[in-house]
């Protein structure tokens, strides 16, 4: 499925296969994942969703033997190159969830892209919710792996990738 099927208007960025990971009751954070391909050099600079109090763009990366997650100010989208937002890598973090996100739900997400000229474009997508264990083994935290989060996240907002 491509973004054109989900976006409200034609976009300068193709958004492919967006999805959000389901949560368990009381879980306050989850991730949104997709593939972004920009027609011209641009950046993903912001994301919003009515299901979350806070939405951030995050990066997970290994630093020696420690998996670290941190908020990034933007994600560069080189023209014509697909950039994956996936478990264990870049992703959109939905924090302070207002309710449990259940498999089969559809989560609205607004992505804000900024071109080299500074012009911003909002693209609204509808991301289907996949099971909690979806793609978890594809690159998230593994047993025995040490993890560390940067930024303003509180321990209760920790999430599984």
């Amino acid at each position: 499925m491509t973004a054109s099927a989900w976006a409200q208007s034609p976009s300068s960025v193709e958004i492919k296969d967006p999805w959000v990971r389901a949560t368990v009751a009381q879980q306050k954070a989850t991730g949104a994942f997709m593939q972004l391909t920009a027609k011209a050099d641009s950046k993903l600079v912001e994301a919003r969703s009515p299901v979350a109090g806070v939405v951030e763009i995050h990066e997970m990366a290994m630093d020696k033997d420690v998996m670290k997650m941190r908020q990034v100010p933007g994600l560069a989208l080189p023209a014509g190159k697909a950039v994956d937002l996936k478990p264990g890598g870049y992703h959109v973090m939905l924090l302070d969830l207002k309710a449990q996100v259940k498999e089969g739900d559809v989560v609205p997400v607004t992505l804000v892209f900024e071109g080299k000229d500074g012009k911003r474009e909002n693209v609204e997508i509808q991301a289907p919710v996949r099971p909690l264990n979806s793609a978890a083994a594809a690159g998230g935290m593994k047993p025995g792996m040490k993890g560390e989060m940067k930024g303003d996240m509180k321990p209760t907002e920790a999430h599984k990738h």
Side-chain angles (χ1 to χ4, degrees):
M1 180 175 307
T2 62
S4 58
W6 295 102
Q8 289 185 336
S9 62
S11 168
S12 62
V13 178
E14 179 184 7
I15 303 162
K16 195 172 177 182
D17 198 25
W19 64 280
V20 171
R21 180 178 289 142
T23 64
V24 296
Q26 309 304 317
Q27 185 176 343
K28 293 295 185 186
T30 190
F33 312 96
M34 63 205 77
Q35 184 180 74
L36 303 174
T37 307
K39 294 175 184 164
D41 288 347
S42 59
K43 293 191 310 187
L44 173 64
V45 294
E46 184 182 341
R48 299 185 291 268
S49 177
V51 305
V54 177
V55 180
E56 299 176 345
I57 303 164
H58 278 203
E59 171 188 39
M60 289 186 76
M62 289 300 294
D63 182 6
K64 298 179 182 165
D65 64 339
V66 178
M67 175 64 83
K68 294 185 176 182
M69 182 177 71
R70 65 180 182 170
Q71 181 181 6
V72 294
L75 176 60
L77 303 172
K81 183 178 178 186
V83 176
D84 291 320
L85 281 69
K86 60 185 180 184
Y90 290 107
H91 59 280
V92 173
M93 194 72 220
L94 304 169
L95 301 164
D96 192 22
L97 293 173
K98 297 174 181 173
Q100 181 179 3
V101 177
K102 299 176 182 172
E103 182 180 354
D105 288 351
V106 175
V107 174
V109 178
T110 301
L111 302 172
V112 181
F113 300 102
E114 184 178 283
K116 288 182 91 170
D117 59 0
K119 185 177 175 187
R120 290 188 172 205
E121 175 187 23
N122 293 344
V123 178
E124 295 184 27
I125 61 171
Q126 300 293 318
V129 177
R130 294 186 184 170
L132 182 62
N133 61 356
S134 234
M141 299 284 286
K142 296 176 177 65
M145 186 180 284
K146 297 175 187 172
E148 180 179 312
M149 290 185 283
K150 298 283 186 184
D152 298 331
M153 290 187 65
K154 298 175 185 129
T156 57
E157 295 172 332
H159 62 282
K160 184 177 180 181
H161 281 279

